């Protein structure tokens, strides 16, 4: 993470706010059912690089399939700002919805295709 930057972001209505540190070198373009339907592009960071600044009590958890990823939705506007997951070895990881980063321009990001549909 040589070019890691600390970003701020949040949901649409502003209830949920976060700060995260990432270099955005790997942003997913995943073909799984939820990433496709919601237009999700994730950047994965260690939990210590993600801080919820507001809205901890305004989150609704959404689970599906094997419940491996805990999607966090704002109870007011429905935007998913992040998700909690674990790597195969059990290490906890936070998936930040990069579309929720303040001022982000998706078209300027390099996307990494992911074949999530097969899982
Ligand atoms: Zn919201």
């Amino acid at each position: 993470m040589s070019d890691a930057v600390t970003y701020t972001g949040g949901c649409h209505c502003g209830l949920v706010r976060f700060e995260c540190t990432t270099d955005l070198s790997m942003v997913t373009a995943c073909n799984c059912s939820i990433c496709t339907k919601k237009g999700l592009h994730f950047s994965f960071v260690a939990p210590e690089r993600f801080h919820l600044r507001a809205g901890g009590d305004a989150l609704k958890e959404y689970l599906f399939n094997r419940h491996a990823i805990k999607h966090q939705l704002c109870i007011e506007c429905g935007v998913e700002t992040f998700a909690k997951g674990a790597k195969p070895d059990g290490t906890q990881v936070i998936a930040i919805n990069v579309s929720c980063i303040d001022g982000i321009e998706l078209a300027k990001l390099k996307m990494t295709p992911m074949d999530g549909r097969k899982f």
Side-chain angles (χ1 to χ4, degrees), residues 11-15 74 76-77:
C11 67
H12 190 263
C13 73
L15 271 183
C74 172
E76 179 67 22
C77 67

Side-chain angles (χ1 to χ4, degrees), residues 12-63:
H12 190 263
C13 73
L15 271 183
V16 180
R17 295 291 302 165
F18 65 81
E19 208 172 274
C20 65
T21 304
T22 172
D23 62 4
L24 294 177
S25 61
M26 209 288 264
V27 175
T28 61
C30 178
N31 63 6
C32 83
S33 60
I34 196 158
C35 287
T36 298
K37 284 189 187 288
K38 298 179 88 171
L40 292 170
H41 299 287
F42 285 125
S43 170
F44 296 89
V45 298
E48 59 268 23
R49 289 177 172 263
F50 178 85
H51 302 282
L52 200 56
R53 295 301 188 206
D57 53 358
L59 294 170
K60 174 185 170 16
E61 192 161 270
Y62 176 67
L63 306 172

